């Protein structure tokens, strides 16, 4: 019989910090990593009196755990998760629990759930957000899957989670791969808001002609307003950083080729499968792709010219309101996708709970999440946040600003595709009649695909010529 309450496999940034967080809350925790340096340095890092031990062999690690054993994997998504499970299985018993804390692709979680259930092992996927600091001092965690197993580990997760108004940013979200799915959409929203902030920075610079100091001050001030959020806060901080060798702002020295690990793309891909429109997220994914075509962009910048003849007289307030508008529509798109996915995959999601655990700890935490929580508490079946009276009104109040912003971007030739997608989504969503009747007519014209009419029941085909 071992002495440790909990085991963590993978002692990289996330695993290590979560382990130390658990130890801070009085749990005895064992860590496993094949890298000897990572495993052995753990004890030195832990505070005095904390029960922490690092292992490099799976068998010794597992034997050190109390029964039934509880193990969390924090290894890169994909094959490393399967490899880690395979290395642990020979030493595990029925009733043990395995938690995947990485950004796993949700169908993989469903498969692993079934495979481990056949062996009597409880498995659940739990998205964890908050990066290094979050893991160390309080992340937001999104568990789904085996409810009974979650219930057994709830005290650990509630202890280490971020707290908002005393409430932990973790709760059981739903069946199957619900936890990984919610985390995937969290990341899609993260991509959308990051892209909007990047476009805002560009519009401040090239659109309004502001210098770096003014741009930094604007983000800092915005973070004291209804825009208060982690991503605005860190943008204000990162814009301050000066490179020691050149004396220039570090951000201006960073290559504009953006990387990604894939969760934003999965959100868009799955949204297409579910026919859940998330255009701001789609644009955010494709802008990271366009950013990679550096040489082509360099050539095009010399030939495809546009000379703006517009005065730079737009205001920061206009940008601020437009950003609020676009940010809210991004959350609305992601949360509508969750609502559709919950029905399709039978997750049983409660969106009020999702909004609640996103209020703290995670990358997309923001004061507006409390407004969303309240919207879902008024109507648990709300299909889209845009239909909530208060949220709809706040967008109505600011729509003239995003229209101004889009005009400014168009006139000046500054790319603002995420803003355009946000406004296009809003205008489409509030259109009682869309021009898709023309598409239906075209389909019937060339392919006899038939159409429905608004004045009588049934399906029709016309002789168009
Ligand atoms: C979080 C983040 C995290 C993500 C990174 C990088 O919630 O803590 O979403 O899970 O892996 O932010 O993501 P990309 O490499 O795809 O940008």
């Amino acid at each position: 019989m071992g002495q440790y309450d909990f085991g963590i496999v993978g002692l990289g940034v996330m695993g290590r910090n979560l382990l130390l967080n658990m130890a801070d809350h009085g749990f005895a925790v064992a860590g496993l990593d094949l890298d000897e340096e990572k495993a052995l340095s753990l004890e030195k890092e832990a505070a005095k009196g904390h029960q922490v031990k690092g292992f490099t062999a799976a068998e010794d690690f597992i034997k050190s755990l109390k029964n039934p054993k509880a193990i969390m994997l924090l290894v890169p998504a994909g094959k490393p998760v399967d490899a880690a499970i395979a290395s642990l299985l020979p030493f595990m018993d029925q009733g043990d629990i395995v938690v995947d804390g990485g950004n796993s692709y949700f169908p993989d979680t469903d498969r692993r759930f079934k495979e481990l259930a056949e062996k009597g092992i409880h498995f659940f996927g739990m998205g964890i957000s908050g990066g290094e600091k979050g893991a160390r001092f309080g992340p937001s965690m999104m568990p789904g899957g085996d409810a009974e197993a979650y219930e057994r580990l709830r005290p650990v997760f509630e202890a280490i989670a971020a707290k908002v108004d005393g409430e932990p940013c973790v709760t059981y979200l739903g069946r199957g791969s619900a936890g990984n799915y919610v985390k995937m959409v969290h990341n899609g929203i993260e991509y959308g808001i990051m892209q909007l902030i990047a476009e805002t920075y560009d519009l401040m610079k090239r659109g309004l002609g502001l210098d770096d100091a003014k741009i930094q001050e604007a983000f800092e001030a915005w973070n004291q307003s209804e825009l208060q959020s982690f991503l605005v806060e860190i943008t204000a901080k990162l814009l301050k950083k000066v490179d020691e060798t050149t004396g220039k702002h570090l951000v201006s020295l960073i290559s504009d080729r953006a990387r990604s690990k894939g969760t934003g793309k999965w959100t868009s891909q799955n949204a297409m499968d579910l026919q859940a429109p998330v255009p701001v997220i789609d644009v955010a994914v494709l802008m990271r792709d366009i950013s990679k075509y550096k040489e082509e962009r360099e050539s095009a910048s010399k030939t495809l010219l546009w000379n703006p003849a517009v005065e730079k007289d737009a205001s920061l307030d206009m940008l601020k309101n437009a950003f609020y508008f676009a940010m809210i529509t991004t959350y609305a798109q992601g949360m509508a996708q969750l609502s559709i996915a919950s029905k399709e995959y039978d997750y049983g999601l409660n969106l009020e709970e999702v909004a609640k655990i996103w209020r703290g700890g995670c990358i997309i935490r923001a004061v507006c999440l409390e407004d969303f929580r309240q919207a879902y508490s008024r109507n648990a079946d709300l299909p889209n946040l845009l239909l909530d009276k208060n949220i709809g009104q706040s967008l109505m109040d600011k729509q003239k600003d995003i229209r101004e912003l889009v005009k400014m971007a168009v006139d000046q030739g500054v790319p603002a595709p995420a803003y355009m997608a946000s406004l296009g989504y809003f205008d489409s969503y509030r259109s009682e009649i869309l021009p898709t009747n023309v598409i239906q007519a075209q389909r019937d014209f060339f392919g006899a695909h038939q159409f429905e009419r608004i004045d009588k029941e049934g399906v029709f085909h016309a002789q168009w010529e």
Side-chain angles (χ1 to χ4, degrees), residues 207-435:
L208 302 191
L210 300 184
D211 63 23
D212 288 341
K214 284 259 157 34
I215 296 176
Q216 193 281 329
E217 277 167 28
F219 279 108
E220 203 164 282
W222 288 8
N223 197 42
Q224 305 304 317
S225 71
E226 73 272 28
L227 294 178
Q228 205 224 311
S229 55
F230 175 70
L231 287 169
V232 170
E233 177 193 329
I234 61 160
T235 306
K237 286 184 179 159
L238 65 87
L239 289 174
K240 260 191 184 161
K241 178 80 181 162
V242 172
D243 174 52
E244 279 165 21
T245 44
T246 60
K248 292 183 179 164
H249 280 109
L250 183 55
V251 77
S252 67
L253 299 171
I254 296 179
S255 157
D256 63 0
R257 290 177 216 253
R259 299 221 186 130
S260 47
K261 291 204 197 105
T263 43
K265 185 183 75 178
W266 295 341
T267 309
S268 277
Q269 285 175 326
N270 184 257
M272 292 269 174
D273 289 342
L274 298 182
Q275 300 179 354
V278 292
V280 178
I281 298 171
D282 299 338
V283 161
V285 174
L286 70 86
M287 285 308 287
R288 291 196 192 189
D289 296 340
I290 291 182
S291 82
K292 297 194 175 76
Y293 293 84
K294 182 74 175 171
E295 286 79 23
E296 289 177 41
R297 286 191 289 114
E298 270 166 2
S299 306
S301 73
K302 295 185 181 75
T303 55
L304 305 176
L305 304 175
W306 167 248
N307 292 319
V310 183
E311 294 288 303
K312 300 192 172 190
D313 63 352
S315 76
L316 260 177
D317 263 354
M318 177 271 277
L319 252 64
K320 181 182 174 195
N321 290 337
F323 176 60
Y324 180 87
F325 181 106
M327 182 172 81
I328 300 298
T329 61
T330 307
Y331 283 105
Q333 289 166 23
M335 298 199 78
Q337 178 175 350
L338 287 181
S339 151
I340 294 165
S342 182
K343 291 188 192 98
E344 178 70 21
Y345 302 127
D346 191 30
Y347 285 148
L349 292 179
N350 172 337
L351 293 186
E352 182 184 352
E353 294 288 297
V354 174
K356 193 171 121 188
I357 63 164
W358 281 356
R359 291 179 308 167
C362 65
I363 304 294
I364 63 167
R365 63 183 184 260
V367 282
C368 59
L369 259 316
E370 174 56 21
D371 301 337
F372 304 159
R373 191 196 65 72
Q374 288 176 18
Y376 288 115
S377 115
R378 283 190 284 275
N379 177 4
D381 299 321
L382 193 64
N384 193 308
L385 285 168
L386 267 52
L387 293 176
D388 176 74
K389 200 162 63 63
N390 296 3
I391 291 169
Q393 188 57 50
S394 70
L395 294 181
M396 295 268 287
D397 294 344
K398 293 179 166 66
Q399 62 171 316
K400 74 172 190 341
D401 297 290
I402 190 166
R403 294 184 195 285
E404 281 302 313
L405 178 145
V406 168
K407 276 187 237 166
M408 177 179 94
V410 169
D411 285 343
Q412 302 205 7
V414 178
Y419 274 107
M420 291 176 184
S422 162
L423 183 57
Y425 176 79
F426 178 78
D427 279 338
S428 306
Y429 196 74
R430 62 178 199 86
S431 277
E432 189 187 345
I433 295 171
L434 286 170

Side-chain angles (χ1 to χ4, degrees), residues 44-181:
K44 283 184 228 138
E45 258 181 74
K48 264 217 171 92
H50 287 181
Q51 271 189 280
V52 162
K53 190 163 175 63
F55 294 88
T56 51
E59 187 171 1
D60 300 341
F61 163 74
I62 293 196
K63 281 187 178 152
S64 79
L65 300 174
K66 284 180 190 164
N67 281 323
K69 296 176 271 292
I71 297 171
M72 179 149 72
L73 311 177
L74 281 145
V75 297
K79 288 194 179 122
V81 176
D82 290 310
I85 293 173
S87 75
L88 300 173
L89 269 180
F91 315 108
M92 296 190 74
D93 299 307
Q94 293 211 350
D96 289 349
I97 304 174
V98 178
V99 185
D100 177 10
N103 278 330
S104 285
Y105 186 42
F106 72 95
D108 287 343
T109 299
D110 288 317
R111 170 177 57 80
R112 289 171 188 137
F113 179 84
K114 282 197 200 101
E115 286 169 3
L116 289 172
E118 282 163 17
K119 297 180 165 57
I121 291 170
H122 301 282
F123 178 77
F124 64 91
M126 180 171 78
I128 303 179
S129 179
E132 185 174 358
K133 270 207 178 143
R136 183 69 185 84
F137 301 109
S140 172
M141 289 177 284
M142 294 153 240
D146 191 327
E148 188 198 316
Y150 173 73
E151 201 46 39
R152 268 159 54 193
L153 299 182
R154 192 160 64 93
V156 182
F157 295 136
E158 290 190 349
I160 66 166
K163 310 282 180 311
V164 174
D165 300 336
E167 290 179 291
C169 293
V170 60
T171 193
Y172 176 77
L173 291 176
R175 294 177 278 273
S177 52
N180 288 115
Y181 194 94

